[in-house]
Amino acid sequence: MRAGPPCLRSEPHLTPYLSLTSGFRSRPFFATRCCIPCGAKHGSGEEANIFSTAQLSALKRLFSASVFRELARKGRSSLFCRLVEQTDLIERVAPGATVGDTFESAFEILKVAGRRDEYVYRAAISHKILMGTHSLQSASMLNEFRAGSCKADLVILNGTATVYEIKSERDSLTRLANQVENYKRVFAKVNVIAGESHVDGVLATVPEDVGVLCLSRRYQISTVRDAVDCPQRVCPVTVFESLRTAEAIAILKSLGVLVPKVPNTQRHAALRTLFADLDPATLHVEMVRTLKRTRNLAPLGELVDQLPNSLQAAALSIPVRRSDHNRLVTAVATPLRAAMAWS
């Protein structure tokens, strides 16, 4: 397919740039060439057709834990280079673009409805709920937290514990009913967040006390139905099985329950028996208080502020050593042309 003549546009685009002292900002530049063949509608889903399955796969893998950890540990990532080479990002970004700009460009492509994977939904929840409605100082977030026989995608701890089950456009709803029932045994509020194409199916699958959220084509989260806050329905034994041993002991002590000194081989059974006798609502309050302390994200605030928006969800969910933070920030600020020589 031949491209048409250059498509000149007068409106400014916002391109992120990194300040090592104040984090990412946006500056306008004027596009002089259309990034897609002339005739396609700017900002529409029609652009989706120009990306192959292999290219979209490479774009999604850019936000993987492997790339993020390698950037933090080494200050460079050969995997990042290989993935960028499998896409057309070098041609899409502005001259002088950084690694961070490249992540931003990749995310803009992936957040279009129809291409979204779980990471895009995680980013939306992180920005619009955790750091939008709440803050890292007042709330915390758990990733892949065990709840019964399932793992919860995201849990936000504020005054209560709210779980968010992600159902992207490519996900099946087959397991949703079972997941929701498991989540109710640990969290007071259960939400399912889905794309527009899944909302009707979610409403038909989950009970009325489960909240339903929609991530729109414009990348906005809207509430279709509010979740009911019901801490008294949690199962103390299931809560216990979700916790670290130290967290379980801390909760019991906070509730004034004497923790017996028993051999390690008997400790799990002893703690489980004590949890079984706890009041569900009272336990839930103490669970939230304890997990906000033990899974506190506030120390990550400085790192998050220095990363582009597209990588902030990764910073909140992929553990890296505190000593690697500066190395990660420097790597993200590296000019893309220089970064492509990483090996």
Side-chain angles (χ1 to χ4, degrees):
M1 176 178 179
R2 291 177 53 195
C7 180
L8 300 178
R9 307 178 67 188
S10 60
E11 69 269 27
H13 294 261
L14 291 178
T15 295
Y17 71 95
L18 180 65
S19 163
L20 290 179
T21 58
S22 58
F24 267 74
R25 299 292 182 263
S26 294
R27 62 187 176 201
F29 78 92
F30 288 86
T32 58
R33 182 174 61 84
C34 181
C35 61
I36 57 179
C38 191
K41 296 180 180 179
H42 295 280
S44 77
E46 293 183 27
E47 187 182 350
N49 295 329
I50 72 170
F51 295 100
S52 68
T53 301
Q55 285 178 315
L56 290 174
S57 176
L59 288 167
K60 292 173 182 178
R61 289 180 62 201
L62 280 173
F63 297 95
S64 66
S66 298
V67 171
F68 192 80
R69 289 187 178 123
E70 191 174 26
L71 287 171
R73 188 174 66 254
K74 300 180 179 179
R76 58 176 59 209
S77 172
S78 58
L79 178 56
F80 169 86
C81 295
R82 293 196 300 274
L83 293 172
V84 169
E85 287 173 348
Q86 296 172 32
T87 71
D88 65 350
L89 287 174
I90 294 179
E91 288 72 33
R92 283 176 170 268
V93 297
T98 66
V99 169
D101 296 332
T102 309
F103 277 111
E104 292 287 88
S105 181
F107 191 80
E108 285 299 313
I109 295 168
L110 292 176
K111 77 178 189 182
V112 173
R115 304 178 196 151
R116 298 169 179 166
D117 64 357
E118 186 177 294
Y119 182 80
V120 173
Y121 282 78
R122 287 177 178 273
I125 295 169
S126 299
H127 288 134
K128 301 176 185 297
I129 299 178
L130 176 65
M131 296 185 291
T133 305
H134 310 302
S135 75
L136 296 184
Q137 299 299 321
S138 63
S140 192
M141 183 171 72
L142 311 177
N143 293 271
E144 300 295 329
F145 190 79
R146 180 181 177 185
S149 61
C150 301
K151 283 190 176 180
D153 288 328
L154 286 177
V155 181
I156 291 182
L157 305 168
N158 191 36
T160 187
T162 305
V163 59
Y164 295 85
E165 173 60 28
I166 296 168
K167 292 300 177 187
S168 73
E169 293 90 331
R170 298 179 179 275
D171 287 335
S172 166
L173 302 183
T174 304
R175 298 171 54 241
L176 181 57
N178 179 61
Q179 290 170 315
V180 164
E181 290 308 310
N182 276 272
Y183 299 158
K184 285 183 177 182
R185 298 172 67 83
V186 179
F187 311 111
K189 296 178 71 175
V190 178
N191 278 312
V192 180
I193 180 169
E196 292 174 347
S197 62
H198 263 337
V199 168
D200 287 343
V202 171
L203 287 169
T205 302
V206 301
E208 293 187 358
D209 58 350
V210 174
V212 179
L213 307 177
C214 176
L215 183 61
S216 73
R217 292 181 177 275
R218 295 180 178 273
Y219 194 63
Q220 298 297 318
I221 296 177
S222 61
T223 300
V224 179
R225 184 171 69 200
D226 286 319
V228 176
D229 191 349
C230 189
Q232 62 267 27
R233 74 183 171 206
V234 305
C235 169
V237 171
T238 306
V239 170
F240 166 70
E241 298 291 355
S242 302
L243 300 169
R244 299 167 182 166
T245 299
E247 291 168 341
I249 292 174
I251 288 172
L252 290 172
K253 289 182 176 179
S254 296
L255 294 175
V257 177
L258 179 64
V259 179
K261 293 183 179 180
V262 296
N264 289 342
T265 55
Q266 301 175 23
R267 185 169 57 180
H268 182 274
L271 294 175
R272 191 176 190 275
T273 299
L274 292 175
F275 264 75
D277 293 332
L278 297 178
D279 173 70
T282 303
L283 167 60
H284 190 270
V285 170
E286 197 56 45
M287 177 192 75
V288 171
R289 184 180 295 120
T290 299
L291 290 178
K292 284 180 66 176
R293 184 180 70 252
T294 60
R295 317 288 180 103
N296 182 22
L297 295 179
L300 293 175
E302 183 179 354
L303 172 63
V304 168
D305 287 342
Q306 295 183 83
L307 293 177
N309 287 343
S310 57
L311 284 179
Q312 289 176 353
L316 293 171
S317 60
I318 303 171
V320 297
R321 296 178 303 180
R322 177 65 184 86
S323 59
D324 288 341
H325 286 189
N326 287 339
R327 189 178 296 110
L328 173 61
V329 171
T330 301
V332 170
T334 303
L336 178 60
R337 301 291 175 179
M340 292 307 294
W342 284 343
S343 59

